[in-house]
Amino acid sequence: MSADFLSNMVQSVRPSATIGISQLAREKKARGDDVIILSQGEPDFDTPAHICDAAEKAIRDGKTRYTAADGIPELKEAIRAKFSRDNGLDYSSAEINVSPGGKAVIFNAFLATLNPGDEVIIPAPCWVSYMEMTRLCGGNPVIVPCRADADFKLSPEQLEAAITPRSKWLVLNSPSNPTGAVYSAAELKALGEVLKTHPQLWVLTDDIYEHLVYAGKFATLAVVVPELKSRILTMNGVSKAYAMTGWRIGFAGGPEPLISAMRKIMTQSTSNSSSVSQWAAVTALNGPQDFLENWRNVFQERRDLICRALNGADGIKCTPPPGAFYVFADCREALKKRDQTDLKFCEDLLEATGVALVPGTAFHLPGFFRLSFASDTDVLRDAADRICDFV
Ligand code: GLU
């Protein structure tokens, strides 16, 4: 195949670093190497039994056919109930989208709205896919580097300065992947004041880590600034909260015209998310929620353990993140000593110790690495020992 058979678009897009590194590590492991994969953000818990039972029942009951492209009514109802119960947000079922994963929600929303040259404002450090998805959909990502001493959060002044007549979306991700930063209601309100004065700008709030907040309180823009709800897409999913990453169910609430445009794209692309996964998600959202708190407590213990251990490593510094399950560690001193970049550091670390991490460069902040602490404490202790020895 000649190189120009591939589209210019796909040639300009970078593959996902989180997926790439984790795949590399899995292959190493399959070859028999002693590998610890802390590069992919997924809970190590099994999907709870009552959710698996619901999926099994769906299969037995013949719920194995096409469904409405953007979700079965029962799941839309469960999502409406979730938004109401957890957030105090009211959406009609025509304002709900179900896509095969949170990523697909974002992709469908961007594809439905971006014209060539439209800008998407992305505060950084940011998850690896916002920028590339923007480009895949023809838009221009506008990365706004946020300051470490502001906990990597976007300030109203930075937002104002980033807005141009071509700005179409702002992406807000709280708790944040990779930093774990959590925006308070007051901080969202301040951003909201700026947004109110720019009526062409919409906001995608990626709330996928909603249930993993250790300090402070989760807040989402559509609740804090209801006047903006008519131009907010509130995105979430069952992956991280219910340990259902492989089931691929993401969802969003937003204005009906956008939801309907996203549905049109789905009718011509993926069609529906897996019918069985949708029934499992109904049970996840409608079933018992008490285990979420236990899981959060487990994550918090792991967070504290790994932060203590990493702070004992030569040239590595980290503060316990208030949310999500990532430590975004400053390894600039260690890099200086080794005279290498974060990319090379992570490559060498994997080669020498078998620990897979993601370099900060993938999240638009070199000099750092991201470690997912969604693993057992013994595994984390072992990984920390290996990292300490390595540096
Ligand atoms: N969101 C997770 C991560 O950042 C899963 C992998 C991905 O989709 O990027 O590791």
Side-chain angles (χ1 to χ4, degrees):
M1 187 174 78
S2 74
D4 57 9
F5 182 70
L6 296 176
S7 67
N8 297 339
M9 177 74 79
V10 89
Q11 290 190 60
S12 75
V13 163
R14 292 180 312 171
S16 162
T18 50
I19 291 183
I21 293 166
S22 305
Q23 185 56 27
L24 197 76
R26 274 194 293 270
E27 283 164 16
K28 249 174 106 57
K29 200 169 184 165
R31 286 196 299 271
D33 290 359
D34 178 15
V35 170
I36 302 180
I37 304 176
L38 303 180
S39 47
Q40 196 147 30
E42 67 176 341
D44 60 326
F45 304 124
D46 289 330
T47 304
H50 67 283
I51 299 175
C52 297
D53 290 346
E56 244 182 87
K57 179 166 176 353
I59 296 171
R60 306 260 175 247
D61 290 351
K63 304 268 175 43
T64 51
R65 302 182 189 280
Y66 291 132
T67 74
D70 64 352
I72 53 175
E74 291 83 352
L75 181 50
K76 290 191 176 187
E77 270 314 303
I79 292 165
R80 289 185 59 210
K82 174 260 171 293
F83 276 133
S84 165
R85 174 185 70 227
D86 297 345
N87 312 106
L89 266 176
D90 181 34
Y91 288 110
S92 72
S93 59
E95 294 175 316
I96 300 290
N97 170 274
V98 179
S99 289
K103 268 177 163 161
V105 173
I106 303 171
F107 192 83
N108 288 331
F110 283 177
L111 200 58
T113 52
L114 293 178
N115 288 313
D118 284 347
E119 292 170 359
V120 177
I121 300 171
I122 308 169
C126 53
W127 177 49
V128 296
S129 295
Y130 300 130
M131 173 165 169
E132 305 306 323
M133 282 204 240
T134 300
R135 292 163 69 187
L136 275 171
C137 296
N140 284 345
V142 175
I143 301 289
V144 182
C146 298
R147 297 156 52 116
D149 61 8
D151 296 333
F152 298 115
K153 287 188 263 192
L154 181 72
S155 70
E157 296 74 27
Q158 285 178 307
L159 172 59
E160 184 69 65
I163 297 172
T164 76
R166 296 305 304 268
S167 304
K168 202 145 204 178
W169 285 99
L170 162 69
V171 177
L172 278 182
N173 172 217
S174 172
S176 152
N177 174 3
T179 65
V182 177
Y183 284 80
S184 68
E187 285 162 341
L188 292 179
K189 216 174 170 78
L191 293 174
E193 290 307 313
V194 176
L195 292 162
K196 279 187 206 166
T197 64
H198 296 277
Q200 93 283 13
L201 184 57
W202 283 52
V203 188
L204 174 102
T205 66
D206 179 346
D207 296 350
I208 197 93
Y209 298 98
E210 167 181 9
H211 292 291
L212 295 169
V213 176
Y214 315 107
K217 209 169 165 324
F218 172 78
T220 192
L221 192 66
V223 176
V224 177
V225 194
E227 304 96 291
L228 294 175
K229 188 171 168 240
S230 60
R231 47 193 173 101
I232 294 175
L233 187 68
T234 304
M235 193 279 270
N236 211 316
V238 296
S239 295
K240 315 285 181 179
Y242 301 94
M244 293 177 71
T245 47
W247 299 75
R248 310 310 303 139
I249 296 290
F251 57 81
E256 197 272 335
L258 172 62
I259 296 295
S260 130
M262 290 163 70
R263 176 169 59 243
K264 178 156 80 170
I265 289 170
M266 295 181 79
T267 66
Q268 296 290 22
S269 55
T270 54
S271 291
N272 57 275
S273 313
S274 150
S275 56
V276 175
S277 296
Q278 289 189 66
W279 283 103
V282 169
T283 295
L285 294 174
N286 286 345
Q289 305 292 309
D290 48 325
F291 64 92
L292 297 179
E293 196 185 331
N294 299 341
W295 282 7
R296 189 178 56 239
N297 292 336
V298 171
F299 280 127
Q300 188 163 346
E301 276 167 33
R302 293 168 173 186
R303 174 196 74 158
D304 295 343
L305 179 151
I306 196 70
C307 284
R308 255 195 320 272
L310 286 181
N311 279 322
D314 204 14
I316 296 178
K317 280 188 291 209
C318 63
T319 34
F325 42 53
Y326 306 107
V327 171
F328 199 58
D330 181 345
C331 56
R332 282 174 293 188
E333 264 178 49
L335 298 180
K336 210 187 285 167
K337 280 188 197 140
R338 303 173 63 85
D339 190 25
Q340 61 183 182
T341 64
D342 55 326
L343 294 160
K344 186 80 173 81
F345 177 88
C346 289
E347 204 180 299
D348 286 2
L349 181 78
L350 177 59
E351 207 39 57
T353 71
V355 177
L357 305 176
V358 186
T361 296
F363 308 96
H364 299 275
L365 190 62
F368 287 69
F369 62 72
R370 188 194 79 173
L371 179 153
S372 162
F373 55 83
S375 284
D376 194 69
T377 43
D378 288 342
V379 174
L380 291 175
R381 260 189 218 107
D382 186 2
D385 287 346
R386 295 187 199 191
I387 295 170
C388 287
D389 286 350
F390 179 73
V391 294

